[in-house]
Amino acid sequence: MDSIRSLHPLARAWLLDGPLSLYVEAFEALMERGRYAEGTVATDLRALAHFAHWMTRCRLAADQIDESLVELFLDSHVPRCDCHATALRTHGDLRASLVHLLALLREQQVIVELPGPSGPIAEELHRYNVHTPA
C-alpha cells in the first residue's frame, strides 16, 4: 500500500472511493506477481485513479468495463480531459494500465472472457496443436 500512500490525495480518493476500490489490492498483487518496478506500479495506480474518476462521473460500475469502454475513455475523454492536474494523461501509460485492469477483472470473473478465435484458420491451428507433441 506504499504506492497508494504516495499518490496525490485527490488521486488516492478517486481510487479508494470509486468504482474500482474493491480491486485495488488485487491490482497491486498482480503488479507484484509480475515483478513490476515501483515507478511502474505508481504510474499504473495513477492511471486507475483517473479512470475510476471518469467512471464515477459517468456513473459506471466495474462490471461494465470492457475494451470498448477503455477506448471511449482513451479516445474521447483523455484528449479533452479537464480533470485535476494530478490525473495521468499519457495515452500509452493509461492503455497499458487498463489492459492489466481488464486482465484482472477477467481473472476475478467480474467481466466476461473474450471469445477465443474462431473460423477455419483457428480450427486448423487447434487441430495442429492437439496433434503436436509438447
Side-chain angles (χ1 to χ4, degrees), residues 7-22:
L7 286 173
H8 184 281
L10 184 57
R12 188 177 19 206
W14 289 346
L15 189 58
L16 297 179
D17 297 335
L20 299 178
S21 62
L22 295 176

Side-chain angles (χ1 to χ4, degrees), residues 5 23 35 45-46 58 64 90 116-117:
R5 275 190 279 262
Y23 310 102
R35 304 183 79 161
L45 290 173
R46 283 185 63 210
C58 295
Q64 294 175 284
T90 312

